[in-house]
Amino acid sequence: MKNYFSSDFKLGILGGGQLGRMILTETQKFDIYTSILESNKNAPCADICNNFVIGDLLDFDAVYNFGKTVDVLTIEIENVNIDALDKLEEEGLTIYPKPKNLRTIQSKANQKNFYFDHKIPTAPFSHFAYLEELVICLETEVINFPFVWKAARFGYDGNGVKVVRNFADLESLPNVECITEQLIPFKNELAVIVARNSDGETKTYPVVEMEFHPEANQVEYVICPARIKKSVAKKAQEVALKVVNDLDFVGLLAVEMFQTETNEILVNEVAPRPHNSGHYSIEASYTNQFEQHIRSILNLPLGNTESKVAGIMVNLVGEEGFSGDVFYKNLNDILKIDGVTPHIYGKKETRPFRKMGHVTIVNKDIDKARKVAQKVKETIRVISK
Amino acid sequence: MKNYFSSDFKLGILGGGQLGRMILTETQKFDIYTSILESNKNAPCADICNNFVIGDLLDFDAVYNFGKTVDVLTIEIENVNIDALDKLEEEGLTIYPKPKNLRTIQSKANQKNFYFDHKIPTAPFSHFAYLEELVICLETEVINFPFVWKAARFGYDGNGVKVVRNFADLESLPNVECITEQLIPFKNELAVIVARNSDGETKTYPVVEMEFHPEANQVEYVICPARIKKSVAKKAQEVALKVVNDLDFVGLLAVEMFQTETNEILVNEVAPRPHNSGHYSIEASYTNQFEQHIRSILNLPLGNTESKVAGIMVNLVGEEGFSGDVFYKNLNDILKIDGVTPHIYGKKETRPFRKMGHVTIVNKDIDKARKVAQKVKETIRVISK
């Protein structure tokens, strides 16, 4: 058996953002030496990992050379140089998630093809090398309005996704490789996180629900467990598990899905790492997603994914109109409320819509948690000084 | 309102051991810049705080100079140079717990006098400047066997405490200032942690119970909640709260108590900081003791001290007969069990009886947790490679 704890073993992580920071809490708990590659010297992980290396995650040499210094390599962001990972893997380095899975997931076109090849339910789509190609198809009515446009690569947190209803909506879009998806009316946006280790053991987290602002069409609350029928939840978990097994995936996979108006489950997209939809697990679950990520990539036994209490997560996002040194206004007011835990990611400067932190609300009663979450959302403001 | 989060504010901590390490998890969560003074360059906090300063905690200049670099100063160990703290406080530095409280607590004789002066129930005691004085009192039968001997200063984790039944038992004891206490038969050893901020807000954690090995007379399990009558628990919490209020304490105070055979509560001793008896709170409580410590010393609103689930803590202590590079044997086997979380403190070398980590077991059913705790205890071994 490998000895990871208080040993010479070195875990490498590509990326030093907030997900890395929350992984570090767990590697510290287990005393696993952790080295991080990241381009931003002020990134959330900078001060608190064992070893911090500055370098570009998309640069072959930076990733390759970093990989040569560690015993197991993982990621906290999927936009990394996969050619370097392929070479490291060939040379014997253990890398989870696997480079081939990252290659499939990095491209939304590849993801969609994968779902179709494996009969995983997803919305119909078309694939275009450039926006110009899409325009031609619209002009010739091969494709019709409305549809969802997605950049094929490097979309992140809703950037790179747009609902297109007419030619005017196309004007702001970049002329890059893209897919279009049929616009399917849905009742709920759901997510399921599945962990799998290299022995093939799997554990599935409960289904979470994204509650949207009724007007702004923005996710306001991530709610665990989702307030849906058991049969729908079971179906969502089965679909997520099928994606993980069909990918022969090792690590943590967050599967985002739609529940259609006819209670079908359609896979939207996946993320091969800890995910915003699992942040609630730090306070609510027996084993949080960050510890589970560590367990899965090191082929340790997986932990219990059940919840101790209901959990709701609210993102702390930089308010419009404020830029510069961050100030968390009214943070004290939310600390007064039972079961409220803020997480501050350590970004010194706020910008409009920048993800600066999140707040978890836990309660034995999910309806009480939902009321508290609304109060939290209405109280705290991420502004500048 | 002071702005502690992602700001220029600097929190100083005297001591960089495992308690400091678990405090750092919370300062990282809140992005509070933390600087640590510690004499051991390989201490558990060394790699993971924002700033690590090497220096002797008992040296006036080391503590004073360190104090001049921070905005608020706290401790994770009480054996520090208090003269330096007095001077820093005079010069305007905010220090919690207060130096005057540390002075009272550092000396077990002062602690006992404090309890008597404030009518806080505690076992009768005598105070001696040297062991030689105690010997004279025994020879003249002013004091009689058996009794509990305690070093007045710098006792830690059971060192400096001995049950003395005859003159032979005295031989191994150092010739230092000491107290003797009447040996009182007790049913249970209990502890209560109370938090108080400088606004005077207080929050009291549930009573925990130390379960001893039936033969070895060593604490095996810390169990929350204690399996005692509600009326006894209420009395224990009231006594702990009285100690905190009478001390005019700010910070976290762990109050260790005996439940006598007649259900009296007697204060044994106190620790002015997060405490081994509160480690269960990381997994079991709405607000764990380390976050609560931060909240209390920064005069933030205090968090909910209730538990989500029952929690039991097992210490991971270096096994007799093993010294050198640590190896946590059978750690994988305990990771297989639901609700089991190991905490590894980051000490690279094990020694007999050295505290190397702890394991928390949580479950909705305390009896199930107790069974799992026993399995954990019987499975994991802290040895050397």
Side-chain angles (χ1 to χ4, degrees), chain A residues 15-57:
Chain A
Q18 62 261 23
L19 299 175
R21 189 176 171 100
M22 291 184 271
I23 292 173
L24 287 177
T25 300
E26 307 308 314
T27 55
Q28 288 171 11
K29 186 168 85 184
F30 287 169
D31 195 37
I32 296 171
Y33 182 100
T34 308
S35 187
I36 282 184
L37 181 69
E38 160 67 44
S39 60
N40 174 3
K41 72 177 169 54
N42 298 317
C45 291
D47 264 4
I48 59 172
C49 55
N50 299 93
N51 187 42
F52 188 74
V53 180
I54 293 179
D56 182 350
L57 298 175

Side-chain angles (χ1 to χ4, degrees), chain B residues 197-227:
Chain B
N197 66 19
S198 61
D199 278 352
E201 184 190 5
T202 58
K203 292 262 185 173
T204 305
Y205 279 87
V207 183
V208 303
E209 162 197 357
M210 326 294 176
E211 186 182 326
F212 284 72
H213 187 281
E215 288 120 47
N217 197 38
Q218 234 187 357
V219 177
E220 287 204 297
Y221 309 108
V222 175
I223 300 173
C224 179
R227 297 162 298 180

Side-chain angles (χ1 to χ4, degrees), chain B residues 39-312:
Chain B
S39 61
N40 173 4
K41 72 176 169 55
N42 298 318
C45 291
D47 265 3
I48 59 172
C49 55
N50 299 93
N51 187 42
F52 188 74
V53 179
I54 293 180
D56 182 350
L57 299 175
L58 293 168
D59 180 75
F60 182 95
D61 290 337
V63 172
Y64 177 79
N65 292 333
F66 177 77
K68 296 307 272 185
T69 67
V70 299
D71 299 308
V72 169
L73 188 58
T74 189
I75 55 140
E76 63 104 50
I77 183 168
E78 55 271 36
N79 297 329
V80 299
N81 189 302
I82 298 179
D83 293 335
L85 297 186
D86 283 338
K87 186 163 159 66
L88 288 162
E89 194 179 49
E90 266 173 47
E91 291 173 7
L93 185 64
T94 301
I95 306 175
Y96 293 125
K98 297 170 193 163
K100 69 163 189 178
N101 287 155
L102 293 179
R103 209 176 277 285
T104 301
I105 291 165
Q106 263 194 2
S107 155
K108 282 185 185 157
N110 290 354
Q111 271 193 47
K112 291 294 263 188
N113 283 326
F114 181 86
Y115 304 144
F116 275 92
D117 290 349
H118 289 82
K119 300 189 174 29
I120 291 161
T122 191
F125 81 109
S126 304
H127 179 201
F128 305 92
Y130 295 97
L131 189 68
E132 288 161 354
E133 280 188 10
L134 167 57
V135 173
I136 291 166
C137 287
L138 284 162
E139 285 167 349
T140 55
E141 293 185 17
V142 176
I143 298 275
N144 297 302
F145 297 110
F147 57 86
V148 181
W149 169 93
K150 293 181 176 177
R153 290 171 189 277
F154 294 8
Y156 196 63
D157 289 341
N159 289 322
V161 177
K162 189 174 179 179
V163 176
V164 176
R165 298 184 190 278
N166 49 52
F167 280 104
D169 285 342
L170 288 171
E171 279 167 23
S172 60
L173 297 179
N175 189 27
V176 296
E177 187 189 355
C178 59
I179 62 169
T180 61
E181 273 182 7
Q182 200 180 317
L183 190 62
I184 290 174
F186 60 85
K187 267 199 239 178
N188 277 308
E189 206 169 319
L190 307 173
V192 173
I193 293 174
V194 181
R196 186 166 179 272
N197 66 19
S198 61
D199 278 352
E201 184 190 5
T202 58
K203 292 262 185 173
T204 305
Y205 279 87
V207 183
V208 303
E209 162 197 357
M210 326 294 176
E211 186 182 326
F212 284 72
H213 187 281
E215 288 120 47
N217 197 38
Q218 234 187 357
V219 177
E220 287 204 297
Y221 309 108
V222 175
I223 300 173
C224 179
R227 297 162 298 180
I228 56 175
K229 278 190 192 162
K230 272 193 186 166
S231 57
V232 175
K234 189 162 171 279
K235 202 193 287 180
Q237 288 181 309
E238 284 166 358
V239 168
L241 188 59
K242 177 169 165 56
V243 177
V244 166
N245 284 326
D246 286 355
L247 282 168
D248 187 26
F249 192 81
V250 173
L252 218 62
L253 195 78
V255 183
E256 296 185 64
M257 292 171 281
F258 299 115
Q259 176 189 2
T260 68
E261 285 177 350
T262 56
N263 290 329
E264 266 187 293
I265 294 292
L266 300 179
V267 172
N268 178 20
E269 59 184 58
V270 300
R273 51 167 168 76
H275 190 252
N276 198 263
S277 65
H279 288 355
Y280 78 90
S281 65
I282 298 175
E283 283 79 17
S285 305
Y286 284 95
T287 309
N288 74 55
Q289 66 165 345
F290 301 98
E291 178 179 334
Q292 198 77 290
H293 179 76
I294 298 298
R295 289 182 182 231
S296 62
I297 61 168
L298 298 182
N299 200 28
L300 295 168
L302 299 180
N304 183 359
T305 52
E306 292 172 305
S307 295
K308 301 169 196 168
V309 282
I312 299 187

